[in-house]
Amino acid sequence: MADNASVLSVSIVTPDGRVYENQGTFLAVTTKLGQLGIMPNHVPVISSLEVDVVRVKHGEDEDKIAVNGGFLEFSNNAATIVADSAERQDDIDVARAENARQRAEATIKKAQAAHDADNLARAQVALRRAVNRINVAKH
Ligand code: ATP
């Protein structure tokens, strides 16, 4: 790979351990304030992340990781993402995510009927996680 000034290293960690570690030439994340693209030598950033895909480009390839929120810290060409959970594209169990999606949709319907705001909010978050995993696995 090229010299350190033209690459960035990306590390994604969760309570279960390091899910991803690689070098790349471009990092794309979705922050609470919108999309953020980071190239080498970008200014330092600390940002909260949405439940969404994280993309890391290196050469002609692009790695995709489903990230469940968390936050990003970037400085000195090193990005660290800390999240409750994260899965590399190839590690996503699509059937499990489809089950989680169906469960969350059923819970949302019940919670709406019962005006149960707590369960509704929890199920909406679970639905976002499941849909994100399905999207990352399939694209
Ligand atoms: P489920 O209801 O299927 O457990 P969840 O959204 O409640 O889904 P999390 O609590 O976010 O699951 O994650 C628990 C652990 O399981 C984490 O280590 C996460 O990476 C892993 N995980 C969850 N769903 C999947 C999936 N579809 N494929 C691979 N790993 C998954």
Side-chain angles (χ1 to χ4, degrees):
M1 181 111 11
D3 61 274
N4 281 345
S6 56
V7 293
L8 36 84
S9 61
V10 181
S11 171
I12 301 178
V13 295
T14 73
D16 295 334
R18 195 174 304 278
V19 170
Y20 179 84
E21 177 135 57
N22 206 351
Q23 293 202 317
T25 50
F26 185 71
L27 166 68
V29 299
T30 306
T31 77
K32 298 276 183 196
L33 299 175
Q35 301 272 343
L36 175 65
I38 295 183
M39 296 203 296
N41 304 316
H42 194 286
V43 294
V45 174
I46 292 182
S47 197
S48 294
L49 298 179
E50 294 284 3
V51 175
D52 208 338
V53 63
V54 167
R55 299 171 192 275
V56 182
K57 281 193 182 157
H58 45 93
E60 296 298 302
D61 294 329
E62 185 178 68
D63 294 331
K64 298 184 185 76
I65 307 100
V67 171
N68 174 18
F71 70 90
L72 160 79
E73 193 264 339
F74 177 81
S75 60
N76 298 321
N77 282 342
T80 304
I81 290 170
V82 181
D84 283 341
S85 63
E87 303 86 34
R88 299 170 68 122
Q89 187 177 37
D90 290 347
D91 294 334
I92 294 171
D93 179 338
V94 178
R96 176 176 169 178
E98 288 283 2
N99 278 336
R101 181 176 64 81
Q102 285 170 21
R103 267 199 321 276
E105 284 173 347
T107 305
I108 285 170
K109 277 196 189 135
K110 276 192 214 152
Q112 280 170 337
H115 303 288
D116 181 343
D118 288 348
N119 270 334
L120 178 60
R122 261 195 297 276
Q124 283 169 334
V125 174
L127 179 62
R128 273 211 297 281
R129 283 199 303 272
V131 169
N132 184 41
R133 286 171 177 139
I134 292 163
N135 287 341
V136 172
K138 291 189 171 171
H139 294 108

